[in-house]
Amino acid sequence: MKGTVLMVPAIPRTHFPNETGSDQNISPMLLSFHFLNISSHLRRKALNLSSGVLWRERSAKSPRIPICCSIATNMSWLFAKNIVVSLPRFRSLALFANSSARKYTSFRSSPLLLQQFEKSPCHSKRKASKGAGRMTIKVKELKKELDEKDLSHIMWWNERMQMCKKPSTVHLVKRLDYSNLLGVDTNLKNGHLKEGTLNWEMLQFKSKFPREVLLCRVGDFYEAIGIDACVLVEYAGLNPFGGLRSDSIPRAGCPVVNLRQTLDDLTRSGYSVCIVEEVQGPAQARSRKGRFISGHAHPGSPYVFGLVGVDHDLDFPEPMPVVGISRSAKGYSIILVLETMKTFSLEDGLTEEALVTKLRTCHYHHLFLHTSLKHNSSGTCRWGEFGEGGLLWGECSSRHFEWFEGDPVSQLLFKVKELYGFDDQVTFRNVTVSSEKRPRSLHLGTATQIGAIPTEGIPCLLRVLLPSNCTGLPVLYVRDLLLNPPAYEIASTIQATCRLMSSVTCSFPEFTCVSPAKLVKLLELREANHIEFCRIKCVLDEILQMHRSSDLNKILKLLMDPTWVATGLKIDFDTLVNECEWNSARIGEIIFLDGESDQKISYHPIIPSDFFEDMESPWKGRVKRIHVEEAFAEVERAADALSLAITEDFLPIISRIKASTAPLGGSKGEVVYAREHEAVWFKGRRFEPVVWAGTPGEEQIKQLKPAIDSKGRKVGLEWLTTEKVEDALTRYHDAADKAKARVLELLRGLSAELQTKINILIFASMLLVIAKALFSHVRKYTLDILVLKRTFEAFRIRQGQHSNRSPPDDEGRRRRWVFPSLVEFHKSKDMEPLDEANWMKITGLSPYWLDVAQGSAVRNIVDMKSLFLLTGPNGGGKSSLLRSICAVALLGICGFMVPADSALIPHFDSIMLHMKSYDSPADGKSSFQYTLNVYISLKVLNGVMTFTYIQDLQFNPIEMSEMRSIITGATSRSLVLIDEICRGTETAKGTCIAGSIVETLDKIGCLGIVSTHLHGIFTLGLKTNNAVYKAMGTEYVDGKTKPTWKLIDGICRESLAFETAQKEGIPEIIIQRAEELYLSVYANDKISGRNETDLEHFYVDTIIRTSGEVYDQFSRITGETISPKIKSTNEMEALRKKVEGAVNIVCQKKLKELHEQKITLELLEINCVTILPRELPPPSTVNASSVYVLFRPDKKLYIGQTDNLEGRVCMHRSKKELQNASFLYFLVPGKSLARELETIITNQLSIQGFQLVTTADGKHRNFGTGTSDYSTEVVTLRQ
């Protein structure tokens, strides 16, 4: 008989009195006993034991209900009525009601669970009652069938079934029986678990991975039964088999073609899936097909079985780790375990806020909490009830987690092995990088307020930092770098790399990004296909390309240390290069590469081409033919034999039919490809001549027989074949299967070889991910002085040589982002010397979300050597200034460019930004404006929402908790930014608390800003030594005070509160009354003095001079390519050199004329640069006018000019025939000169005999024709 299960949250060890009256120490595991004949009154009393109790009734009519409860071992029936479970204080009823028991339950095995069913006093006394005997037998049988682990897994699944909400799923859950891992009720239809049945076989598979959804291949479907069927209906949107009939076990499934979508739905919901496949091939009569576990799908780790044989790629999501959290003497610890990578990392000494930030930004699979978290600083055992730990408790209480104990690392690895079904021999590599010299991770408030974590109303820092076309792995790397700033050495290396990228003039590789987790899983499971091997080869070749380039080789060496930090792998530079060469060569020996043409699909005119395309495309073009020559030759011979058989058996019949039937009617016949049956047959009505006279085709007609499918059934009346054709088809399919098997064997063998080099592949792929992230950042914000210089020259050309005007702002001007000077703090703890190590100066600071070029930003100078106490009006820019300084400091210590004219930034050990204010910089609203909007909108909200909003705007323990974290974590090397401190409490006491915090921070000696509207703080007589008073300036215009958004010295006591309220729509009558009240109380204290300061703006340019030496791009061509390709490449190289010589002579002559005419101040030089296939232009081409020559594969040229060379290159290569096109380009100062040189080059190359795609650009008026002698003069080429 099914019963009701009562479950309560797991609690710490508790003292209960035993029968002798003494206390008994009870472990928090689930104990159980059998209650019989419980009245509704007693049942309500039991329900009141805890608001977290869950009741589940299987039969409302039966009064005999077994209940599981967390009570003492020998608890009697009368004692159950007196249990009191106290609720933690300060926990709202709404929160407790929404927190089900699943969030706190520890699923450790409970040996007492089944014992209590037998030893319960009420059970023994009522043994003679109806049904009690059957219950005893059932419990004993359950004990025999289930061990402790199985029982814990069943309880785990029982919890999740309680979470199902769909009506169809709830109906299915009622039919579950938790006596086995499948949840199958053996009394229902199709519920047999006898040995040899499909259900029994599925139970064996389920026992190996009990916490995974089991999908079993049955014909053309993947089926699930019991608990797994309920999960499919609830989360994958599938309908149950057989509808909602109540006499059958729950069954559901999906077609084979929809497997990938079903797995995505389940993994997105947090479930792991175990997939069981059938052994393909003919099975013996009356025998069940063999089945095997083909793989698993986990959140962040997709199902890859069979990928080696397909011709498409698989999107690989970001891997999701198993997370373990513990606490030590240093602080909080987080352990991340990646089952795909077989790695783990430990980060210790974290603050509670930093730990919550990591949890908020980490998409993890499972969460384990160590029992050390239960003992907090308050000395209580109730975790999160008092003091420290509340923020972490609030974050974890809304998620599923399990408790564990013992050594955190070893026990968590044991849990992971148990979770994923790994053997004990599986080892995990420690990739922990020492955090001794690294800055502390960002707090949650800091990360959200600067947009490192996407937050509504806050401009996203990542979107500003990287271009919109940069997605995927590079963005994830930059995000992790911002949330976990690197050590000074790594930050300096990143900045040096970015500087080099902004200055080199040679072309860059495309930086192919491959997920390291994807590499590991595909190679480990031998499922990497030819597409993945080609991508791996691209990664290795791009590493080698950087190594062979004198400019890029420096960048490659600099990237070694950041890659070591990101992967935990320390690899020598020479080892990396040598291993990349070996792996690239090995892949090139096996894999069929672009440009090879020895594996064409078979073709015979009599046979439909789709047949050979479907049969051969899945395995041709994968590996080089030399490795499968015999198999390929056999396929070709079999194809010829098939063609011959069809020609001999079908063609005479078709000819006879055509000759014997009327043109407009009669029988028809043709050779048709039956795709469903993978066969080529004759389709048409059986044609029999009236008189058999031995004419052509009669013998073949007699040989025709009905075509049959793989199951021996006739396909149809119109489908016919012959014995000879069937034999030829069989021979062809056998040959094709052997060839495909040989190809897959070679691919899997190559996977096994590269698996031994997996560390090199991980390192190389991560290096290119970092390179692309930095290159994308530099490309967006590099400010090449050479481009500006040439732009200015072009402006002078248009305005005339005597013009003294400056170039317009919209030409060659972009956002001003520069590389800061990053300074490491001195080792000494002495705080008296104020040198560059504890001095931050930012000139021309602008908010990172505003575009300076559009004139929408006010630039400030921040010269900070101590703590600032900042005042200013509402909407005066205090919050924006703090947010901007925080972003600049964070970007600087990470090695990125910053939005300023110049910056000196010390390498802080922590950056902490506290903004309790609810401003919205994306909408241009200050915190006061935002608060006004909230209060205005309260009238349209119901009581509950109104209470929530008002409570959220009040001074509460959360703000003081963050203040505690800032004060305890701040050092003399920290940057502390606090906005509107103590703004939500009573003014007098809040002012005193704020003053005490300012004194504490000043004593610590950190840099930072504390902004406030509590002007009484200046009358407290603060004991500060270094604090400086700063203000946001205002000006008096037309009788009104307006903010200037400038940072000035002094104190600003003007709040502009009335003006802001009026602007935001507060009724005029309220504002007038407020002004009256203000004048009546504060008129004598009003200060009329106004500060107004003009700030100097200056811009520091650093001219980056690059050498004119052009790297010989053609030295990369090795002798390993095939002979025809060498010849073609040599011809293209000769053409490029010839064109480059002509371009240099033509352009230099024109530039010399411009200089002699004094149109240009100095003689400009042409520096031609080559862009080879799979290369991109360098950052120096950003917003620079350039002239380029496109070299087509057919040796024709196209001449063009552009201000966006990368975009133009990508546009040309988007055409299929130009994917591997190369380019020759040079930069010129200005678009006008670029057009003129484009016209001259077009005319001259056409005259000299070069083949051009078009000469239309040579007909521009006043650009090389008419007034110039270039149209008739042929320039002689000189070597």
Side-chain angles (χ1 to χ4, degrees), residues 619 631 634-636 638 730-740:
W619 47 271
E634 178 59 28
V635 171
E636 293 172 355
T730 302
R731 176 186 174 186
Y732 176 79
H733 281 302
D734 291 343
D737 290 342
K738 291 179 180 178
K740 182 177 181 179

Side-chain angles (χ1 to χ4, degrees), residues 86-92 96 378 380 382 384-386 393:
S86 61
L87 301 179
R89 286 184 291 173
F90 305 112
R91 185 185 305 176
S92 67
F96 197 87
S378 63
T380 67
R382 298 188 182 277
E385 182 176 351
F386 300 100
W393 176 85

Side-chain angles (χ1 to χ4, degrees), residues 113 263 1257:
L113 182 59
L263 294 179
D1257 293 334

Side-chain angles (χ1 to χ4, degrees), residues 581-706:
E581 289 178 345
W582 186 90
N583 285 282
S584 176
R586 184 56 183 158
I587 295 175
E589 292 174 1
I590 301 296
I591 300 300
F592 180 88
L593 303 175
D594 293 337
E596 302 178 14
S597 58
D598 58 349
Q599 297 190 30
K600 294 182 179 179
I601 303 296
S602 300
Y603 173 76
H604 292 277
I606 191 63
I607 301 177
S609 59
D610 291 349
F611 171 74
F612 289 119
E613 182 71 26
D614 291 349
M615 296 301 104
E616 298 181 8
S617 60
W619 47 271
K620 276 191 175 180
R622 267 63 170 174
V623 299
K624 293 188 182 297
R625 178 163 181 151
I626 188 175
H627 303 291
V628 285
E629 180 62 40
E630 181 58 33
F632 276 38
E634 178 59 28
V635 171
E636 293 172 355
R637 289 192 293 267
D640 294 338
L642 177 61
S643 176
L644 179 61
I646 291 177
T647 301
E648 293 177 350
D649 287 6
F650 293 165
L651 200 57
I653 301 176
I654 296 174
S655 301
R656 176 66 181 270
I657 292 176
K658 290 181 178 179
S660 304
T661 58
L664 299 179
S667 301
K668 294 183 179 180
E670 56 183 341
V671 177
V672 179
Y673 168 39
R675 191 182 302 272
E676 181 180 354
H677 305 282
E678 298 182 349
V680 178
W681 291 326
F682 176 83
K683 185 178 183 181
R685 295 181 182 177
R686 179 181 292 274
F687 175 79
E688 295 185 3
V690 179
V691 178
W692 298 92
T695 55
E698 290 184 2
E699 186 65 28
Q700 288 78 10
I701 292 175
K702 295 178 181 179
Q703 296 176 4
L704 288 176
K705 65 175 184 178

Side-chain angles (χ1 to χ4, degrees), residues 502-536:
S502 65
S503 62
V504 298
T505 57
C506 66
S507 56
F508 280 77
E510 291 184 349
F511 297 125
T512 303
C513 294
V514 180
S515 169
K518 182 179 182 181
L519 284 177
V520 172
K521 185 162 187 176
L522 292 181
L523 295 179
E524 180 183 8
L525 300 179
R526 311 293 187 262
E527 292 292 343
N529 57 19
H530 67 291
I531 297 176
E532 199 61 35
F533 284 121
C534 289
R535 188 172 285 114
I536 295 173

Side-chain angles (χ1 to χ4, degrees), residues 163-225:
M163 298 164 54
C164 296
K165 297 180 180 180
K166 286 186 177 181
S168 56
T169 312
V170 173
H171 185 80
L172 294 177
V173 169
K174 294 178 181 179
R175 287 186 260 152
L176 296 177
D177 182 6
Y178 297 101
S179 62
N180 54 76
L181 288 172
L182 289 174
V184 171
D185 189 343
T186 57
N187 297 321
L188 296 178
K189 184 178 179 180
N190 300 324
H192 296 293
L193 292 176
K194 294 180 180 179
E195 185 174 354
T197 62
L198 178 59
N199 290 356
W200 177 84
E201 190 176 4
M202 295 175 70
L203 181 61
Q204 307 310 307
F205 290 126
K206 185 74 172 181
S207 62
K208 296 181 180 179
F209 301 96
R211 294 199 182 182
E212 295 185 12
V213 177
L214 183 71
L215 290 181
C216 184
R217 176 76 176 267
V218 181
D220 294 332
F221 277 82
Y222 287 93
E223 295 188 5
I225 61 175

